């Protein structure tokens, strides 16, 4: 097939979406894959190893023109700013197959609904998607990056007491809140991206602290996690990777759209915090 993945990333949203979209794309090696993205501030378009069409807006008419020009067979939507009416307009104008990612049980007009979170419950989509929609929900559809699958069987020495990953942009600056409360004798690895608006503050904080490693846009996250005794993460896609690597963790909620995963983790007996303090 000729696939088009519509997703955005910026300094405030979407980095995790692009990362999982690339895992999804890698599963379609026999298909032609393209991305369509807006050139937003703090994006990670340069990390997408597929052709990327730059959109001027999130206008469905602009996307319809691109779909027709590229003769797309299936559009994959992974975008909080695209709703049921947007999808319906694309479907009626182009007749393409639509696969929609969803994390928060929203209405969609799609042929396939993918909620790859381990917490996903397909019964909650009754009335939210067309009757003929194929539901792909739960752990059997979880997208795990190849780097974790390669890393897991390798034996590693534990170098870090804490692995901290508060998402690609850390909009609430949760990493600094955590760092301000932990002991100086702990060895810490912080993972973030250049899209994080608090990067300079983090760099200043860790300067001269030999016990803290700051990794920005790291290509070895699986290894760093593997070398850590405890992870502090958001209740997001990162949970899947931490569980896969069998590293103990604390989940710190930083966004409303993480509530479904929070409820699931609490039910399963994992440690989840709504806020961080000493």
């Amino acid at each position: 097939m000729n696939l088009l993945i519509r997703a955005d990333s910026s300094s405030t949203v979407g980095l995790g979406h692009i990362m999982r979209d690339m895992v999804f794309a890698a599963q379609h090696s026999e298909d032609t894959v393209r991305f369509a993205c807006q050139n937003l501030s703090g994006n990670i378009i340069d990390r997408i190893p597929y052709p990327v069409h730059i959109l001027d807006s999130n206008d469905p008419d602009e996307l319809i023109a691109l779909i027709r020009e590229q003769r797309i067979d299936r559009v994959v939507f992974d975008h909080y700013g695209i709703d049921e009416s947007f999808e319906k307009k694309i479907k009626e104008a182009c007749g393409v197959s639509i696969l929609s990612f969803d994390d928060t049980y929203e209405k969609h007009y799609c042929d396939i609904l993918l909620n790859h979170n381990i917490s996903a419950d397909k019964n909650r989509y009754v009335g939210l998607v067309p009757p003929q929609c194929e539901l792909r929900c739960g752990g059997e559809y979880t997208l795990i990056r190849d780097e974790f699958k390669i890393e897991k069987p390798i034996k590693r020495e534990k170098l870090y007491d804490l692995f901290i990953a508060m998402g690609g942009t850390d909009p609430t600056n949760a990493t600094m809140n955590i760092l301000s409360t932990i002991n100086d004798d702990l060895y810490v690895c912080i993972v973030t991206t250049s899209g994080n608006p608090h990067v300079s503050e983090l760099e200043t904080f860790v300067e001269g602290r030999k016990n803290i490693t700051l990794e920005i846009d790291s290509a070895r996250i699986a290894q760093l996690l593997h070398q850590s005794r405890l992870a502090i993460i958001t209740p997001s896609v990162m949970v899947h990777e931490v569980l896969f690597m069998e590293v103990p963790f604390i989940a710190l909620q930083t966004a409303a759209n993480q509530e479904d995963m929070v409820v699931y983790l609490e039910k399963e007996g994992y440690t989840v915090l709504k806020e961080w303090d000493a």
Side-chain angles (χ1 to χ4, degrees):
M1 289 191 299
N2 203 359
L3 299 180
L4 180 68
I5 299 176
R6 174 70 186 97
D8 283 330
S9 59
S10 72
S11 57
T12 56
V13 295
L15 271 66
H17 291 215
I18 294 291
M19 297 302 291
R20 72 182 180 186
D21 294 336
M22 289 191 290
V23 179
F24 177 86
Q27 296 177 347
H28 293 78
S29 57
E30 296 182 2
D31 300 318
T32 299
V33 178
R34 297 176 174 85
F35 278 68
C37 306
Q38 295 179 90
N39 190 19
L40 304 177
S41 176
N43 69 72
I44 55 170
I45 289 174
D46 59 345
R47 295 170 64 180
I48 300 175
Y50 298 93
V52 179
H53 297 272
I54 302 299
L55 299 173
D56 294 325
S57 68
N58 192 33
D59 188 318
D61 290 330
E62 184 181 3
L63 187 61
I64 287 168
L66 177 62
I67 291 168
R68 289 172 173 167
E69 175 191 325
Q70 297 296 322
R71 299 183 179 181
I72 300 300
D73 300 306
R74 173 173 292 166
V75 179
V76 178
F77 287 116
D78 191 3
H79 201 297
Y80 290 140
I82 292 176
D83 59 13
E84 177 191 29
S85 61
F86 190 115
E87 294 165 340
K88 187 174 183 179
K89 186 169 184 177
I90 299 298
K91 183 75 171 178
E92 291 177 345
C94 304
V96 291
S97 170
I98 294 177
L99 183 152
S100 296
F101 275 82
D102 182 85
D103 302 296
T104 54
Y105 302 98
E106 305 295 335
K107 280 191 170 185
H108 289 278
Y109 194 83
C110 56
D111 301 281
I112 303 169
L113 187 290
L114 175 58
N115 185 333
H116 77 124
N117 292 306
I118 53 174
S119 59
D121 179 2
K122 67 179 181 181
N123 295 318
R124 292 178 61 181
Y125 285 104
V126 175
L128 296 180
V129 295
Q132 71 276 13
C133 178
E134 177 188 343
L135 295 173
R136 300 179 182 176
C137 297
E140 65 180 298
Y141 298 105
T142 295
L143 299 168
I144 300 291
R145 285 178 278 170
D146 284 344
E147 68 170 291
F148 289 90
K149 297 175 183 177
I150 294 169
E151 175 65 30
K152 187 172 182 178
I154 300 172
K155 294 195 178 298
R156 299 279 190 191
E157 180 185 359
K158 296 293 186 182
L159 301 179
Y160 307 105
D161 297 300
L162 292 178
F163 171 96
I164 301 174
M166 290 290 105
T169 61
D170 190 8
T172 65
N173 205 10
T175 303
M176 280 302 304
N177 291 337
I178 296 169
L179 290 174
S180 67
T181 62
I182 61 177
N183 295 332
D184 290 337
D185 59 351
L186 294 175
Y187 284 87
V188 180
C189 178
I190 304 164
V191 171
T192 190
T193 74
S194 51
N196 183 344
H198 312 291
V199 163
S200 60
E201 184 180 358
L202 287 171
E203 289 176 327
T204 299
F205 184 88
V206 306
E207 189 175 354
R209 286 180 164 87
K210 295 182 179 180
N211 64 314
I212 301 179
T213 298
L214 176 60
E215 292 269 344
I216 301 170
D217 297 329
S218 177
R220 56 190 192 111
I221 292 176
Q223 178 184 333
L224 296 169
L225 177 61
H226 200 179
Q227 292 177 308
S228 302
R229 296 181 178 87
L230 176 70
I232 303 175
I233 58 172
T234 57
S236 60
V237 173
M238 191 77 199
V239 168
H240 303 145
E241 297 164 342
V242 173
L243 285 171
F244 180 79
M245 296 299 292
E246 302 181 78
V247 175
F249 69 95
I250 295 171
L252 174 62
Q253 185 174 7
T254 58
N257 62 13
Q258 298 163 352
E259 186 64 30
D260 188 57
M261 182 68 83
V262 166
V263 172
Y264 172 84
L265 292 174
E266 290 178 334
K267 182 180 177 181
E268 295 296 317
Y270 294 102
T271 302
V272 183
L273 303 177
K274 295 297 182 78
E275 60 181 28
W276 184 272
D277 58 39

